[in-house]
Amino acid sequence: MQESQSSYKQIIKATSLFGGVQVVNIVISIIRSKIIAVLLGPAGMGIAGLLSSTTGFISGLTNFGIGTSAVKSVAEANATANNLRIATIVAVLRRWVWITGLLGTIVTIALSPWLSQLTFGNRDYTFAFIYISVTLLFNQLSSGQLVVLQGMRKLQYLAKANLLGSLLGLLFSIPLYYIWGVKAIVPAIVISSIVALLLSWFFSNKIEIETVKVTKAVTIAEGKKMLIMGFMISLSGLITLGTSYLVRIYISNTGGIEQVGLYNAGFAIIATYVGMVFSAMGTDYYPRLAAVAHSNVLCKQTINEQAEIAILILAPIVLLFLVFIQWVVIILYSNKFVAINEMVHWAILGMLFKAASWSMGYVLFAKGDSKTLLWNEILSNSYLLGLNILGYYLFGLTGLGISFMFGFILHLFQIFIVIKIKFQFSFTKEFMRIFLIHILLAVSCFLIVKLIDKPYSYYLGSILLFISTWFSYKELDKRIGLNTILIKLKNRVIKK
């Protein structure tokens, strides 16, 4: 019991640590989205979203996943405490980020007329893509610096670089949007990438690393390890990016740029503001699961513990958004975006299913089963793309929310069957109890919001929100002694 409680506490501690960083980034993201929504409107938000998603897709094609795979190489070199080895790996990494970054820039410039035609239906944005192409180089160079910080476990520098980059990028962008409106989208994107690069360079230079010359043969040999490992990860991510890109293109061609802006706003609520729980947990969860990947029994225990905590934290947030989505949308964006309410209602209900599938999905990374990972991504993104197109065709933005929910449910069953067969996984009775109770509360809240007029839906929904929060609190207290922790924290604050 003591060992299990320690494991739960580690999950909560890591979630709190990295969640703090996520919260600040989310606040900055909210402010940025609010500014774009107010100053540029849905159409401007659609343009910004299409430009970013297009260059993001090109980046996924050309960066070879170095931002993920190289962390392992740097960490392994750092563990040897061999300064020459560390310097060699870092030098190779920095050479490869230049190569891959320049590749992304060149590809974007070469394809700019075609990208404009495909994305916007005309060639009016050719020069916009040419100007933005430089961000692929800047972002890749910045990624290389952040890899060094993460691989050498300089997490404070890493957090500062991320937070300050987001904050300063926002501060530089606000005057541009205010003065030039839609015309400021491209300069704001470029300036933000420059700021992020300068900050990552500043903090990575605080680490003393020897300067060494590496030969072409060493660059290829060491880089090959990074590229091969990153390729499968990158390919999986690229499939997801491609699916998202095709959905945006379909919406743009069928419903127009403004509909893309509304979709981006709704998706941001689902993936960013609610999905921050996954981002906060993932930083610690992956290495913990990888450490016990040799044992299916320990993997099962770790996955179930993580899934329990994910549901307990996420469920009250889901109910909060279900009840007060209209106010959330107005606060985050403006009255012009209330059309996404129905979309978010359906999609956010599916986030509880995603919490379970997310917890299971990491085992494919931990086990190094890249082949299964790739086919899993191909299958899930294929039916998600089909569902999104069908949903939008039949019901517009609301149909996208419905398609997301059913996509999350299908993916849960898919990944469960895969890892049950391959790794003998099963959910514990304790997880199933927590999951089913919160699903029942969420569905009840959903029906109240749909069937009962305001303000009565607020009253009844708030009661269910209170029950969900109370239940999560009691369950967390059983696992980590949450009540004791809060009392100690309160006494510490009073003493100060």
Side-chain angles (χ1 to χ4, degrees):
M1 178 63 186
Q2 188 67 32
E3 183 180 345
S4 178
Q5 189 178 65
S6 176
S7 179
Y8 284 119
K9 283 184 176 180
Q10 185 178 349
I11 297 172
I12 293 295
K13 183 178 180 180
T15 303
S16 301
L17 175 65
F18 295 108
V21 176
Q22 287 294 322
V23 166
V24 177
N25 276 328
I26 291 298
V27 171
I28 294 172
S29 177
I30 290 172
I31 296 172
R32 181 187 294 108
S33 297
K34 181 72 173 181
I35 290 169
I36 294 177
V38 172
L39 297 181
L40 307 185
M45 201 166 189
I47 293 170
L50 286 170
L51 288 171
S52 297
S53 61
T54 304
T55 52
F57 182 70
I58 299 297
S59 177
L61 280 171
T62 58
N63 65 22
F64 290 92
I66 288 179
T68 302
S69 63
V71 173
K72 182 175 181 291
S73 299
V74 174
E76 287 175 347
N78 188 52
T80 66
N82 183 327
N83 291 333
L84 180 61
R85 177 63 181 165
I86 295 171
T88 300
I89 292 297
V90 171
V92 169
L93 167 63
R94 287 174 174 167
R95 184 170 290 183
W96 274 106
V97 293
W98 269 100
I99 294 170
T100 52
L102 284 170
L103 176 63
T105 296
I106 292 169
V107 169
T108 304
I109 292 173
L111 298 179
S112 55
W114 181 79
L115 292 173
S116 179
Q117 183 69 46
L118 177 65
T119 306
F120 296 97
N122 55 59
R123 298 202 170 188
D124 296 348
Y125 292 86
T126 299
F127 282 103
F129 281 110
I130 291 173
Y131 295 140
I132 288 179
S133 67
V134 72
T135 63
L136 277 79
L137 173 60
F138 294 158
N139 292 342
Q140 189 69 340
L141 293 176
S142 179
S143 176
Q145 307 287 13
L146 297 178
V147 164
V148 174
L149 294 176
Q150 186 176 358
M152 299 188 71
R153 302 189 61 79
K154 303 297 181 181
L155 299 183
Q156 287 188 342
Y157 290 157
L158 182 64
K160 288 178 181 178
N162 282 323
L163 292 177
L164 288 175
S166 299
L167 179 60
L168 292 179
L170 174 65
L171 293 178
F172 280 114
S173 299
I174 292 174
L176 297 178
Y177 288 131
Y178 182 77
I179 296 170
W180 289 297
V182 174
K183 293 181 180 179
I185 291 174
V186 171
I189 292 173
V190 174
I191 289 173
S192 295
S193 69
I194 293 173
V195 170
L197 172 60
L198 292 175
L199 285 168
S200 65
W201 176 82
F202 173 77
F203 284 108
S204 67
N205 274 358
K206 288 179 173 289
I207 307 173
E208 294 184 6
I209 299 174
E210 294 180 18
T211 302
V212 296
K213 290 184 179 181
V214 293
T215 63
K216 187 181 294 184
V218 172
T219 300
I220 294 173
E222 294 292 349
K224 186 178 179 182
K225 299 175 184 177
M226 301 177 191
L227 295 174
I228 291 176
M229 179 182 173
F231 178 73
M232 297 302 283
I233 297 174
S234 179
L235 194 56
S236 299
L238 191 59
I239 292 168
T240 303
L241 277 174
T243 301
S244 178
Y245 179 65
L246 290 174
V247 170
R248 285 177 170 86
I249 294 297
Y250 178 77
I251 296 171
S252 177
N253 292 336
T254 306
I257 293 290
E258 187 168 318
Q259 287 280 293
V260 178
L262 292 170
Y263 167 77
N264 287 340
F267 188 76
I269 291 176
I270 301 161
T272 305
Y273 307 132
V274 179
M276 64 171 285
V277 174
F278 304 128
S279 300
M281 289 183 171
T283 308
D284 171 71
Y285 177 44
Y286 173 49
R288 274 195 305 110
L289 189 59
V292 297
H294 61 278
S295 168
N296 288 338
V297 174
L298 292 176
C299 276
K300 174 184 173 180
Q301 177 185 335
T302 304
I303 292 170
N304 274 282
E305 289 173 350
Q306 187 72 44
E308 287 175 22
I309 298 298
I311 293 293
L312 291 172
I313 292 176
L314 186 65
I317 299 174
V318 167
L319 265 71
L320 177 68
F321 276 74
L322 281 172
V323 178
F324 299 107
I325 186 59
Q326 181 159 340
W327 292 106
V328 170
V329 169
I330 293 173
I331 291 170
L332 294 179
Y333 303 111
S334 72
N335 284 316
K336 296 178 182 178
F337 289 80
V338 294
I340 66 175
N341 287 1
E342 293 290 320
M343 169 188 169
V344 176
H345 268 148
W346 285 96
I348 209 165
L349 190 62
M351 292 298 281
L352 293 176
F353 297 96
K354 183 178 179 180
S357 64
W358 173 87
S359 301
M360 290 187 287
Y362 262 96
V363 75
L364 298 177
F365 291 94
K367 294 277 190 180
D369 194 346
S370 56
K371 186 176 180 181
T372 303
L373 172 67
L374 179 60
W375 282 109
N376 186 66
E377 289 298 314
I378 291 173
L379 177 59
S380 60
N381 278 280
S382 295
Y383 59 68
L384 186 58
L385 175 61
L387 286 171
N388 281 340
I389 291 176
L390 179 63
Y392 186 74
Y393 177 78
L394 293 175
F395 307 111
L397 291 172
T398 300
L400 288 171
I402 296 172
S403 70
F404 271 115
M405 185 191 72
F406 280 108
F408 292 148
I409 294 172
L410 285 174
H411 187 254
L412 171 59
F413 284 103
Q414 174 189 323
I415 192 66
F416 176 78
I417 292 170
V418 169
I419 69 171
K420 180 178 179 61
I421 293 172
K422 292 184 70 71
F423 311 121
Q424 295 78 55
F425 175 79
S426 62
F427 281 120
T428 61
K429 291 182 179 179
E430 187 64 11
F431 167 79
M432 291 303 301
R433 180 180 68 87
I434 292 170
F435 182 70
L436 292 175
I437 288 174
H438 272 305
I439 286 293
L440 179 62
L441 288 170
V443 171
S444 300
C445 189
F446 177 84
L447 292 174
I448 285 173
V449 171
K450 293 295 178 189
L451 301 177
I452 299 178
D453 293 333
K454 299 179 180 64
Y456 302 107
S457 61
Y458 287 144
Y459 302 148
L460 294 174
S462 295
I463 293 173
L464 292 180
L465 173 59
F466 173 79
I467 294 172
S468 175
T469 305
W470 176 83
F471 179 72
S472 287
Y473 177 86
K474 298 300 289 184
E475 292 297 321
L476 287 170
D477 187 46
K478 282 165 53 177
R479 287 160 176 77
I480 64 171
L482 183 59
N483 193 46
T484 302
I485 293 173
L486 292 177
I487 291 173
K488 288 181 180 179
L489 183 61
K490 176 184 176 183
N491 293 335
R492 198 176 296 173
V493 171
I494 292 174
K495 287 180 181 179
K496 290 183 178 181

